[in-house]
């Protein structure tokens, strides 16, 4: 059985935004993983709190969808 990550509120926020964004785009995990050039298992494990998103995942997500505010996805309030 995979070890569950327990990184608190910021990771919960990120996972929630990732899943909502993917679903809003109309992608299943396989389609979304293809879009960002990552494996389906990575997307699945991140959404299920079995893996944290690494630099490679965040970079791929940001390059494909630069409109995403990753700080907001992690629950940080940015004052501009």
């Amino acid at each position: 059985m995979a070890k569950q990550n327990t990184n608190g509120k910021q990771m919960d926020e990120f996972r929630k935004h990732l899943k909502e964004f993917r679903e809003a785009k109309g992608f299943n995990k396989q389609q979304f993983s293809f879009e960002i050039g990552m494996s389906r298992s990575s997307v699945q494990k991140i959404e299920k709190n079995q893996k944290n998103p690494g630099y490679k995942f965040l970079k791929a997500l940001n390059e494909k969808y630069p409109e995403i505010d990753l700080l907001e996805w992690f629950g940080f309030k940015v004052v501009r």
Side-chain angles (χ1 to χ4, degrees):
M1 182 172 177
K3 181 179 177 186
Q4 185 176 5
N5 290 316
T6 54
N7 292 13
K9 195 164 99 175
Q10 286 84 13
M11 289 310 302
D12 290 343
E13 280 290 310
F14 179 83
R15 287 180 174 85
K16 179 186 82 160
H17 285 290
L18 178 64
K19 184 175 182 181
E20 288 174 354
F21 182 80
R22 176 181 60 75
E23 290 174 344
K25 291 284 186 186
F27 294 131
N28 63 32
K29 291 177 185 111
Q30 180 69 39
Q31 294 164 326
F32 186 69
S33 64
F34 180 79
E35 283 290 308
I36 63 171
M38 300 297 292
S39 71
R40 181 197 54 78
S41 66
S42 288
V43 173
Q44 183 174 336
K45 287 178 181 179
I46 290 167
E47 284 189 6
K48 290 186 173 213
N49 196 24
Q50 296 172 341
K51 177 180 179 178
N52 288 331
Y55 173 76
K56 185 177 176 184
F57 183 89
L58 295 172
K59 184 176 186 238
L61 184 63
N62 187 250
E63 286 177 352
K64 181 67 179 180
Y65 300 105
E67 70 273 16
I68 293 173
D69 185 340
L70 290 174
L71 288 175
E72 180 182 306
W73 276 29
F74 279 102
F76 294 101
K77 304 288 186 231
V78 179
V79 179
R80 298 173 200 259

